[in-house]
Amino acid sequence: MTEHEERQEERSAQGQEPHKESGEDQAPQQAVQENGAQVSTGIEAAGVPDAVIPELVIISGMSGAGRSTAAKCLEDLGWFVVDNLPPALIPTMVELGARSQGNVARIAVVVDVRGRRFFDNLRESLADLESKSVTRRIVFLESSDEALVRRFESVRRPHPLQGDGRIVDGIDAERELLRELRGDADLVIDTSSLNVHELRAKMDAQFAGDEEPELRATVMSFGFKYGLPVDADLVVDMRFLPNPHWVPELRPFTGLNEEVAAYVFNQPGAKEFLDRYAELLRLIAAGYRREGKRYVTIAVGCTGGKHRSVATSEKLAARLAAEGVETVVVHRDMGRE
């Protein structure tokens, strides 16, 4: 037995794959799946034998047609979104996603004419992705000339390609640049008569699957004497309950203390209020989901933001979490006195 054969036998005994010399055939094995593929070659992270190729969506279309709204919708659905990435870097972005070992499973890239000369590399990048068995879709946002002119005039901004000409000149130039990409698009959405909510609904229908849009809530306690939170969507005033501040043995503690929480919710109307407000939030949350709103901040206030608001915020957050709402609790003014 030669020295090479002895090494091969030793590797087999240890459960390792036999080493192949450079001249031996090393044909790749690919197993492409719709939402990511397990592959052993092509896009392969260093030191990771089985890289997971992310699902890729390329968002493009006319300036003013809603690309940013479409991208934000995918971001809310959990996609990793990159805006205005030069097309030549898209394969690199996919490779970096593959190296994340599944942590970045879906990537959306916004590509438009702001890249100017970089935009010419898009065709080459798409061919490169196809050769590596990357599952990709192109979403093209379209709109009529009249709607685009109206939108640019409403925000008083020039079209990125109009130069010294008119807005319509920029629109015509952009249409010509994007004509071939539009023909390759997997999904074309005409936003001429759509508002923001209707566009989000169309994107949800295409990419959210059967899952109901997720709602994320921040429950924030605060003290009215320090001012209202500027980012509050809903404000709850707990000053209708007696203040534990005037109970000497409770004054040093906060609403996180069990004795303080028990004092607050043993007051007449406290539990009833919590039950009814939680029921009201169910109706509001359902409406937010229908309107495409996925983030809500509920500000719960008392005089100093230490006792009643803190205890109520904790209880309310627990109710929301039990309803399946991803909830974060923030006590803005606790410890401020």
Side-chain angles (χ1 to χ4, degrees):
M1 179 180 297
T2 67
E3 181 180 352
H4 174 72
E5 292 172 336
E6 288 177 354
R7 288 200 305 269
Q8 293 280 50
E9 185 173 328
E10 183 179 352
R11 286 177 178 271
S12 299
Q14 294 176 354
Q16 301 178 9
E17 289 292 331
H19 174 71
K20 291 185 178 181
E21 301 294 342
S22 59
E24 295 182 28
D25 181 30
Q26 300 184 35
Q29 296 179 356
Q30 298 182 350
V32 180
Q33 301 171 0
E34 185 166 344
N35 293 323
Q38 294 287 340
V39 298
S40 58
T41 189
I43 297 177
E44 184 171 315
V48 182
D50 291 320
V52 180
I53 300 179
E55 184 180 359
L56 175 67
V57 166
I58 297 173
I59 300 173
S60 191
M62 300 297 295
S63 299
R67 294 186 309 246
S68 297
T69 299
K72 182 62 178 175
C73 182
L74 290 184
E75 187 175 37
D76 290 342
L77 290 172
W79 290 66
F80 185 86
V81 178
V82 184
D83 189 16
N84 199 24
L85 183 72
L89 296 180
I90 294 177
T92 302
M93 190 72 238
V94 174
E95 182 177 356
L96 291 174
R99 296 186 183 205
S100 72
Q101 301 183 41
N103 292 322
V104 181
R106 298 182 298 179
I107 296 174
V109 176
V110 181
V111 176
D112 53 64
V113 294
R114 285 177 293 172
R116 304 296 175 103
R117 61 189 180 85
F118 294 114
F119 190 77
D120 297 334
N121 302 122
L122 181 58
R123 176 63 55 187
E124 182 180 343
S125 295
L126 292 177
D128 186 19
L129 293 170
E130 186 176 353
S131 70
K132 294 176 179 177
S133 302
V134 175
T135 300
R136 60 102 178 126
R137 283 180 285 177
I138 298 175
V139 177
F140 192 94
L141 281 302
E142 176 66 276
S143 196
S144 67
D145 287 3
E146 293 79 8
L148 294 175
V149 170
R150 186 171 62 250
R151 292 168 189 172
F152 275 104
E153 289 180 342
S154 68
V155 296
R156 299 182 180 180
R157 295 188 62 186
H159 188 280
L161 295 185
Q162 77 178 75
D164 296 329
R166 301 175 300 160
I167 292 177
V168 291
D169 297 328
I171 293 173
D172 289 341
E174 187 176 34
R175 284 199 191 281
E176 186 60 34
L177 280 174
L178 296 176
R179 187 179 305 279
E180 188 174 355
L181 181 62
R182 189 189 189 284
D184 291 338
D186 301 283
L187 173 65
V188 177
I189 301 178
D190 187 346
T191 67
S192 302
S193 59
L194 299 181
N195 60 36
V196 172
H197 305 298
E198 291 168 335
L199 174 54
R200 292 183 69 99
K202 283 185 173 291
M203 292 295 293
D204 281 341
Q206 290 292 328
F207 296 99
D210 297 329
E211 298 179 4
E212 190 177 65
E214 183 181 359
L215 181 67
R216 298 181 178 93
T218 298
V219 181
M220 177 188 299
S221 69
F222 73 97
F224 277 96
K225 69 179 182 179
Y226 300 115
L228 285 168
V230 296
D231 57 345
D233 296 298
L234 303 168
V235 178
V236 181
D237 186 353
M238 300 307 298
R239 291 177 296 182
F240 71 92
L241 296 175
N243 192 347
H245 175 80
W246 303 115
V247 180
E249 58 269 26
L250 298 180
R251 183 179 300 177
F253 301 107
T254 71
L256 298 177
N257 183 268
E258 292 183 6
E259 286 79 5
V260 173
Y263 175 86
V264 170
F265 287 101
N266 282 332
Q267 302 302 319
K271 292 180 180 177
E272 291 80 1
F273 173 83
L274 184 64
D275 290 339
R276 293 183 184 182
Y277 195 75
E279 184 176 350
L280 177 63
L281 285 179
R282 291 191 196 101
L283 294 175
I284 294 174
Y288 277 166
R289 289 187 178 101
R290 287 193 297 270
E291 290 299 308
K293 183 177 175 64
R294 296 196 175 84
Y295 301 94
V296 60
T297 298
I298 305 167
V300 183
C302 63
T303 303
K306 179 180 179 181
H307 296 113
R308 294 163 291 181
S309 62
V310 172
T312 304
S313 294
E314 291 290 331
K315 292 283 188 182
L316 192 58
R319 293 283 188 97
L320 290 172
E323 299 269 341
V325 178
E326 184 178 331
T327 308
V328 175
V329 185
V330 177
H331 301 301
R332 191 191 74 173
D333 299 324
M334 190 173 68
R336 190 169 178 176
E337 75 284 348

